[in-house]
Amino acid sequence: EKQGLFSTVSSKIINLVRLSKPLSRRLLVSHVDKLPVQAVASQLAVADKRLLLWYLDAMFCDALEVYSSADNAEWHAKQVELYAEFAPSTPNTSGEGSFCFDFKQRQLSRRYSSPLLRFLQSELPSQALLQQVALPACASHLPRPLFHEMVFVLARLGDPRKALQLHLAELGDLAGAIDFIEEPLLPQQQSLWEDLVDHCLQRPAQLAQLLDYMGLLSTLNPAKVLARMPANTGGIPQLRRRLLRILQHSQLREFQHAKCSVMLEDDALKLLRQKNQGLRRAIKVTSS
């Protein structure tokens, strides 16, 4: 680097990376103008797909402004396939990823993340292509498809109903399904709620979970769900306690709404009086 021997190194990228990954990463990311993505990635693709993924991931993390160019769309698509093959889904331990509501703790927690999911959530201009590539790559992953990523891609592709089905049938994650439906700007929200309730009504264990969450959901009417519950509810443990909790949450929400309405009325009246006093003040007028 100090001697400027980039032309010598440019044809020996594989040896350079195998010599020292940390030093190679800094060199390749810092001097993209002398060691372009196309030249480096082409050599690594021939030698080792894992090294190629290592390099593309480094570019995505450390040189996104350069790497996001449409000229690198081919490698963006390849990166999706490599993530699906070599960096599958893992429980999140890094504090990154999409929010999911932890109903038991009554707070938002980041439950899930993966390198592929973070890549798909980025603002790369080639996202439309990436989603088309990601869906079959995730579906064909062995020994188990990458369902979390498939949920995200299906929602982006305009098929939230199928994404919800994966959440419920394959992942068995009711809390995640609820969080998915409550995402802002998600189309067909009302029909998705109906699908979720239909699914839970046929499964006592998940219906019990839904009853636990129901008092916390402002977008789901508890009365409509309770009216659809079957007469024989013996499969739901501690049903009475769960119903009482729903009533308590509903009463608390009504109390909060009432108090907020009173506070808003008081504020509006106070501002109206201030405006009235301002309008009644005398205005100095000069003869000129």
Side-chain angles (χ1 to χ4, degrees), residues 207-277:
L207 180 57
Q209 274 188 289
L210 183 61
L211 292 176
D212 286 338
Y213 304 161
M214 201 180 301
L216 304 170
L217 302 173
S218 58
T219 52
L220 185 61
N221 187 344
K224 290 184 178 180
V225 178
L226 295 176
R228 296 181 56 191
M229 285 179 58
N232 181 14
T233 55
I236 302 177
Q238 300 182 348
L239 177 60
R240 183 174 179 273
R241 178 181 61 82
R242 288 186 159 95
L243 294 177
L244 286 174
R245 184 182 299 167
I246 293 173
L247 291 174
Q248 290 170 354
H249 283 300
S250 298
Q251 291 172 353
L252 177 60
R253 187 180 297 114
E254 290 179 4
F255 175 78
Q256 290 173 333
H257 287 171
K259 287 297 182 181
C260 288
S261 297
V262 171
M263 294 171 65
L264 288 173
E265 289 176 3
D266 290 343
D267 288 344
L269 184 59
K270 182 179 179 181
L271 292 173
L272 183 60
R273 287 172 177 168
Q274 291 177 354
K275 182 179 180 180
N276 187 35
Q277 290 174 359

Side-chain angles (χ1 to χ4, degrees), residues 64-273:
L64 182 58
E65 186 174 350
V66 177
Y67 184 57
S68 61
S69 169
D71 295 336
N72 297 319
E74 171 192 355
W75 298 111
H76 298 163
K78 186 65 176 177
Q79 189 168 351
V80 168
E81 296 175 350
L82 293 174
Y83 274 140
E85 183 176 357
F86 296 117
S89 315
T90 54
N92 179 41
T93 57
S94 63
E96 300 179 6
S98 58
F99 278 117
C100 187
F101 198 99
D102 186 343
F103 290 94
K104 195 170 184 180
Q105 298 298 327
R106 306 295 194 274
Q107 63 184 1
L108 284 170
S109 63
R110 297 178 184 269
R111 281 191 176 180
Y112 178 87
S113 181
S114 72
L116 175 54
L117 190 57
R118 291 196 295 273
F119 188 68
L120 294 173
Q121 289 170 337
S122 67
E123 297 299 328
L124 289 171
S126 56
Q127 276 298 341
L129 170 64
L130 299 187
Q131 290 160 17
Q132 297 291 343
V133 173
L135 195 56
C138 294
S140 60
H141 181 267
L142 296 176
R144 187 170 184 263
L146 305 179
F147 289 119
H148 284 94
E149 288 79 358
M150 291 176 67
V151 166
F152 177 81
V153 173
L154 285 168
R156 284 286 184 95
L157 292 175
D159 196 353
R161 175 163 286 181
K162 189 171 182 180
L164 178 63
Q165 290 173 356
L166 286 181
H167 245 309
L168 295 172
E170 302 296 344
L171 295 172
D173 182 9
L174 184 60
I178 292 173
D179 181 72
F180 169 73
I181 297 176
E182 291 204 314
E183 285 184 7
L185 304 180
L186 185 70
Q188 309 172 27
Q189 275 189 324
Q190 188 57 43
S191 63
L192 293 176
W193 277 121
E194 292 175 1
D195 289 347
L196 183 139
V197 172
D198 290 341
H199 176 89
C200 292
L201 287 173
Q202 300 172 15
R203 297 162 178 81
Q206 290 193 331
L207 180 57
Q209 274 188 289
L210 183 61
L211 292 176
D212 286 338
Y213 304 161
M214 201 180 301
L216 304 170
L217 302 173
S218 58
T219 52
L220 185 61
N221 187 344
K224 290 184 178 180
V225 178
L226 295 176
R228 296 181 56 191
M229 285 179 58
N232 181 14
T233 55
I236 302 177
Q238 300 182 348
L239 177 60
R240 183 174 179 273
R241 178 181 61 82
R242 288 186 159 95
L243 294 177
L244 286 174
R245 184 182 299 167
I246 293 173
L247 291 174
Q248 290 170 354
H249 283 300
S250 298
Q251 291 172 353
L252 177 60
R253 187 180 297 114
E254 290 179 4
F255 175 78
Q256 290 173 333
H257 287 171
K259 287 297 182 181
C260 288
S261 297
V262 171
M263 294 171 65
L264 288 173
E265 289 176 3
D266 290 343
D267 288 344
L269 184 59
K270 182 179 179 181
L271 292 173
L272 183 60
R273 287 172 177 168

